[in-house]
Amino acid sequence: MKVLVVGLGGVTNGGKTTLAEKLKNMLPNCDVISQDDFFKPESEVETDDRGFKLYDVLDALYMDEMVTSIRNWIKNPASSGVVTEEPQNTCDNVNNVYILIVEGFLLYNYEPLNELWNRRYFLTLPYEECKRRRSTRVYQPADTPGYFDGHVWPMYLKYKSELEENASMQVDYLDGTKSQEELLSYLYKDIIQELNNLRE
């Protein structure tokens, strides 16, 4: 049995969760772990001197638990409740491989995760589009005035530049302004190619 661990990271509101769920329905033996499930409760998240809750940093997440969940899945993917019947239009030869898609905004800046990835994708958005999309979403707790410009966007730029400076890290940057169909088609073909490489 082989496993393929795919990271789908990047900017807030870049389409990560939607793409991950669609890929799960298209790929054989595929499961999704979402980083959003590992946020600490609000009471444990630090507040800065402007009163902003610092959610867009690694300290706001139970990262050790996330690593443990991924490692447990890798050890025994069949026990995770992965659906093993054949989804649409995939080749017979990929049945003995289990795929885990991990989606989240801070996947590649935490060292213990970096040895686990087979493929890393990173969705990007320009500032204006990201801010527009973010303004249409309702968060718990809600974004306070100035939060996007004061915390969310600067943290995205910080972690993205850390990633770009790390020459050893192979990351496939994707333009989040492209249509879901285009992004989905690209990711699907790329992951199928990776599956075929695994089998050879």
Side-chain angles (χ1 to χ4, degrees):
M1 182 198 68
K2 294 175 180 173
V3 298
L4 181 70
V5 182
V6 174
L8 187 55
V11 69
T12 177
N13 294 278
K16 301 178 295 293
T17 308
T18 310
L19 284 167
E21 288 302 324
K22 286 183 175 174
L23 284 166
K24 179 181 176 176
N25 293 329
M26 291 169 71
L27 292 162
N29 309 338
C30 186
D31 209 356
V32 172
I33 288 179
S34 175
Q35 190 171 36
D36 284 358
D37 295 338
F38 297 91
F39 271 113
K40 293 175 180 175
E42 191 180 350
S43 60
E44 287 182 41
V45 175
E46 280 184 52
T47 306
D48 72 4
D49 51 14
R50 297 164 298 179
F52 292 151
K53 280 279 180 191
L54 303 182
Y55 274 104
D56 287 55
V57 297
L58 287 167
D59 284 347
L61 296 144
Y62 292 120
M63 291 302 293
D64 292 349
E65 283 183 24
M66 184 173 171
V67 173
T68 301
S69 294
I70 295 169
R71 287 190 184 283
N72 288 342
W73 187 95
I74 290 169
K75 272 187 228 142
N76 194 357
S79 73
S80 67
V82 165
V83 180
T84 51
E85 75 253 24
E86 191 63 358
Q88 71 229 36
N89 64 29
T90 46
C91 359
D92 303 333
N93 61 8
V94 292
N95 282 342
N96 62 340
V97 182
Y98 285 85
I99 305 165
L100 178 63
I101 297 172
V102 182
E103 64 90 9
F105 70 112
L106 268 185
L107 298 183
Y108 312 128
N109 303 78
Y110 187 67
E111 203 47 51
L113 277 179
N114 278 332
E115 64 207 49
L116 303 177
W117 309 115
N118 294 94
R119 293 289 284 140
R120 295 182 189 88
Y121 303 100
F122 188 97
L123 284 152
T124 63
L125 281 177
Y127 166 83
E128 291 297 345
E129 175 61 12
C130 186
K131 189 170 186 175
R132 185 192 67 74
R133 290 189 193 181
R134 178 95 181 189
S135 70
T136 65
R137 291 269 290 274
V138 179
Y139 288 91
Q140 281 307 113
D143 281 358
T144 51
Y147 189 67
F148 181 83
D149 287 315
H151 176 60
V152 176
W153 188 254
M155 287 300 105
Y156 162 68
L157 294 179
K158 172 185 180 286
Y159 285 115
K160 181 169 176 274
S161 77
E162 275 179 22
L163 196 54
E164 289 164 343
E165 284 162 20
N166 184 345
S168 65
M169 184 94 69
Q170 280 193 303
V171 180
D172 194 347
Y173 292 93
L174 305 175
D175 177 357
T177 62
K178 289 186 171 165
S179 71
Q180 281 277 319
E181 292 68 36
E182 203 175 335
L183 289 166
L184 194 61
S185 168
Y186 174 81
L187 287 164
Y188 177 76
K189 285 178 188 150
D190 204 51
I191 293 168
I192 289 293
Q193 179 61 53
E194 196 69 22
L195 282 180
N196 292 331
N197 295 346
L198 258 186
R199 298 194 64 265
E200 280 162 15

